Amino acid sequence: MCDNDLRVDRPAPGVLRLTLNRPAVRNAITLALHRRMDAELSAAASDDSVRAVVLAGAGDRAFSAGYDLAELAAMTPAQAVAATAEREELLWRYATFPKPTVAAVHGAAHGAGTMLAVCSDLRVGGAETSIAVSAAKYGGVNLTWLLDSLIGGAHARDLLLTAREVRGAEAHRIGLLHRYAVDVAGAAVGLAELIAERPAAGLREIKALLLEGAGRSLRDRFDRENTAVRSNLVEQPISEMFSSFFAARSRDPEVEV
């Protein structure tokens, strides 16, 4: 991997941006690039100055077209099996990264590009966005464990069974994109900056509770949330927790918590 295959910058306070930087091959992801991304995220997880992460693709054509096919073609069967197992863990670590993630999906997202986008907490796209879960085209299976919880069973079956491309407007309509914008890159950073303004401990709790909630009873999820709330109250008094609200109320008595 070239050192500049992944660009790392801080486009806004509290926001780390990782940009897949292989536009000549539509930001295809080599194993080395995936490992570098994972290393940056591992460092960001314990960096208090990082409150949210934006994942983007360089150029105008693609967020990412998926794994690098030239690299895959050069692997022996044993190497391919080992690489697949490693990539599964890398993807899982991204999906369960403890801080909020935003995918700036400008252009095409196919294969592993779609998996990274869907495993992000929020997705921003526009008129040039096209997303496809392409595994069915070659007899594979991807995202059956997650997609239905994001866009509903009917839409998930459509995308998974047909492997068809979904353009930006439709992706937004069915909930695959959270924001639809002309300036996808700017909107993604703006969304991440808004999230980064929130208290970090609360963001971690929200994401952890959402990740751990699937399959649990409604009462269990309710109790786990309230346990987290009580824990936060012990760690900081009400006056500190709601300091921003109290300050706003002093300026405007109509402000409510």
Side-chain angles (χ1 to χ4, degrees):
M1 184 193 87
C2 297
D3 288 342
N4 64 352
D5 279 359
L6 184 72
R7 291 204 314 259
V8 181
D9 70 333
R10 301 287 188 99
V15 178
L16 174 71
R17 179 167 56 189
L18 304 178
T19 302
L20 307 173
N21 189 34
R22 305 184 72 215
V25 289
R26 301 206 302 164
N27 300 316
I29 303 166
T30 62
L31 189 53
L33 172 54
H34 208 167
R35 288 168 176 161
R36 168 84 188 283
M37 190 182 100
D38 180 68
E40 293 289 345
L41 289 167
S42 295
S46 57
D47 183 346
D48 291 341
S49 70
V50 176
R51 310 287 278 274
V53 173
V54 172
L55 183 61
D60 297 326
R61 298 172 60 205
F63 171 71
S64 174
Y67 292 136
D68 189 300
L69 295 181
E71 179 182 67
L72 290 173
M75 290 181 178
T76 66
Q79 288 172 330
V81 169
T84 297
E86 182 177 355
R87 279 171 162 149
E88 288 169 358
E89 287 305 308
L90 294 173
L91 182 65
W92 179 251
R93 288 207 289 270
Y94 180 71
T96 57
F97 179 69
K99 299 180 181 183
T101 54
V102 178
V105 191
H106 182 75
H110 296 164
T114 298
M115 289 191 283
L116 285 171
V118 170
C119 287
S120 302
D121 293 307
L122 298 170
R123 288 163 293 284
V124 178
E128 302 304 315
T129 298
S130 66
I131 301 174
V133 186
S134 51
K137 290 184 178 180
Y138 56 83
V141 182
N142 288 145
L143 295 173
T144 59
W145 58 280
L146 180 61
L147 192 61
D148 59 345
S149 68
L150 301 180
I151 62 174
H155 291 309
R157 282 169 172 76
D158 179 4
L159 270 58
L160 294 175
L161 294 173
T162 66
R164 69 183 181 88
E165 246 182 0
V166 180
R167 304 294 299 185
E170 182 185 4
H172 185 240
R173 177 177 60 78
I174 66 176
L176 194 52
L177 294 177
H178 297 88
R179 301 287 190 278
Y180 188 82
V182 174
D183 178 8
V184 173
V189 170
L191 181 56
E193 186 175 13
L194 176 64
I195 293 169
E197 292 173 357
R198 311 309 181 207
L203 295 176
R204 283 181 177 269
E205 290 284 10
I206 289 168
K207 184 158 184 180
L209 289 168
L210 288 171
L211 287 170
E212 296 168 5
R216 297 181 181 273
S217 71
L218 194 61
R219 179 70 204 210
D220 187 27
R221 296 181 71 179
F222 177 75
D223 289 341
R224 290 167 69 83
E225 178 181 288
N226 289 327
T227 298
V229 170
R230 288 194 298 273
S231 175
N232 287 340
L233 286 174
V234 169
E235 292 176 3
Q236 55 179 331
I238 288 286
S239 58
E240 290 183 16
M241 181 175 288
F242 295 110
S243 59
S244 62
F245 290 100
F246 292 142
R249 178 178 283 181
S250 69
R251 297 189 299 269
D252 181 359
E254 298 299 318
V255 172
E256 295 293 340
V257 174

